[in-house]
Amino acid sequence: MGSGDVWTAFGPGLAGAIFGAGWWFWVDAVVCSQSTVPFLHYLPGIFASLAALMFNCVKKEDLQEYSSYDDGEGCRSRTWLFLAYVISFVSLAGSVGMLVQDSLVPKGPSTWTGVAGVLQCFLILISGLVFWTSRSSE
């Protein structure tokens, strides 16, 4: 069993554990919060999860061949992948914005809620990348 086989065998499990840890941080922060967490604070994690799903819908084979005049599957896959990364990084930026808001507003959610949101989005992004790189091409 080579290193690629080990990555293919254990990568999806590792990705699932990282994804679960991201959501665990968020659930912990919401449960332990002294005040009600507004629904707006949930959106970065939801969109990060959606983005991870989006870029795992792209096959690696679709990205191999490229022609600047191609308007077929390769172009659509690259556009979809670009959109998925834009959504994931915007959700990460949104969670950082929520962290700043939580640290500045005295009556809002705690700073831990903001930190947990950033950790959640970061870990979801990492888990999606781990899963995408560890998928077998078969």
Side-chain angles (χ1 to χ4, degrees), residues 4-27:
D5 295 334
V6 171
W7 184 242
T8 302
F10 293 111
L14 178 64
I18 295 170
F19 184 86
W23 274 100
W24 179 83
F25 278 120
W26 177 248
V27 170

Side-chain angles (χ1 to χ4, degrees), residues 28-43:
D28 177 66
V30 169
V31 169
C32 294
S33 179
Q34 298 295 327
S35 64
T36 304
V37 178
F39 181 73
L40 187 64
H41 282 63
Y42 288 80
L43 291 179

